[in-house]
Amino acid sequence: MALWVLREGGCRLERDSVALQHCHEEQNMLLSSQHSASALLPPAASAESLRPTRVIAVDDDAHFREMLRAELTEHGFSVETFADAQSLLAAVHDIADADVILLDWGLPRVSGIDLLLQLRRLGIALPAVFLTGRPFTSNESLAFDHGALDFIDKARGISILVQRLRLVAGIKTPETLRERFLQCGKLLLKPHVSRAFWNDTDVQLTLGEFKIVHLLARNAGHHVTYRDIYDCLHYRGFIAGTGENGYRTNVRSAIKRIRGKFRAYDPSFAEIENYTAFGYVWGRGCGSGSS
């Protein structure tokens, strides 16, 4: 008796039992090849990896805010904008999981740099970038001293801003910053609020200075290079200063300021030791814990 068979994939119709057997064999081969091919496909991306980079932008110019939001959204960012420090601080609990905060320097009433300090005191340690129409060297130095990761002139354009934001947003907060405290002799560090205490007195370090002390204290007894100290202030490979090793001058200046602040409370302070042509070392062993 004749039997009509429709082959998988639109093959022609065949008559007879032999054709039916061949058809089953080809179907099995097809299913096997499909299974093998699916095994070679990369795993589905996680929801977290598909989440767009979340940017918080603070600028008092309404037209610029809207332009910035539209441009960054077009480049794949998720953007929330605020007109001033007050409106941002009112929503501070909603921004803690953002990836980066973009600050204008000349905000009304509370400046961008003062807003950054307020956020740090509240324990908001988002990577911070200044986007400003006032690209003065003095402002740039002050921004880095207070822990900003980048300082960008608005005139550089959106393409430069996008590249810089992607770099900065890729920096993850080290797990060590989730420690509740780190004790090192007379030094007590509270990474979750970026505060340093010496003999129970707040030394009033800037965020950048705190990062340096935290790095040195965590590596107590071991030398830390100029490059590693500088990178902890910005991001690895960041270039600033004059000449190939110009960053060393910036590190020396920062260490000098840090020593001065500790010595204002304890003239005998001598924990940060030089290691000639290499870097610095914190002199004593430390321990960490949680409160």
Side-chain angles (χ1 to χ4, degrees), residues 127-171:
V129 172
F130 278 94
L131 179 64
T132 178
R134 305 177 184 179
F136 308 124
T137 302
S138 57
N139 290 351
E140 183 176 12
S141 297
L142 188 60
F144 287 142
D145 286 344
H146 286 75
L149 293 184
D150 213 338
F151 187 92
I152 306 170
D153 184 353
K154 287 181 177 178
R156 296 297 301 278
I158 193 67
S159 62
I160 294 297
L161 176 60
V162 166
Q163 292 176 33
R164 299 282 190 87
L165 285 178
R166 285 174 177 161
L167 274 175
V168 170
I171 303 171

Side-chain angles (χ1 to χ4, degrees), residues 103 105 112-121 124 126 128 130 138-149 194-195 204-211 233-234 257 261:
L103 298 171
W105 186 269
I113 195 72
D114 289 334
L115 174 56
L116 178 59
L117 291 175
Q118 289 191 38
L119 290 172
R120 296 310 190 225
R121 292 188 182 113
I124 305 297
L126 295 177
F130 278 94
S138 57
N139 290 351
E140 183 176 12
S141 297
L142 188 60
F144 287 142
D145 286 344
H146 286 75
L149 293 184
S194 302
R195 310 306 294 169
Q204 299 295 324
L205 299 180
T206 66
L207 181 64
E209 292 165 351
F210 175 85
K211 287 181 177 180
L233 291 174
H234 308 292
R257 289 195 303 272
K261 288 188 175 182

Side-chain angles (χ1 to χ4, degrees), residues 88-99:
L88 176 71
L89 292 172
V92 72
H93 297 297
D94 299 324
I95 69 169
D97 64 343
D99 296 296

Side-chain angles (χ1 to χ4, degrees), residues 10-44:
C11 296
R12 68 182 183 278
L13 293 172
E14 296 283 3
R15 294 185 62 184
D16 67 34
S17 59
V18 175
L20 177 62
Q21 181 180 355
H22 289 168
C23 182
H24 285 165
E25 290 175 354
E26 290 189 14
Q27 284 181 314
N28 290 334
M29 291 176 63
L30 177 62
L31 290 173
S32 177
S33 64
Q34 288 175 337
H35 177 75
S36 299
S38 65
L40 296 175
L41 293 174

Side-chain angles (χ1 to χ4, degrees), residues 174 176 179 182 184 189 213-220 222 282 286:
T176 52
E179 297 168 349
L182 186 148
C184 189
L189 298 179
V213 171
H214 188 236
L215 176 65
L216 293 173
R218 284 185 58 240
N219 292 278
H222 301 279
W282 190 277
C286 300

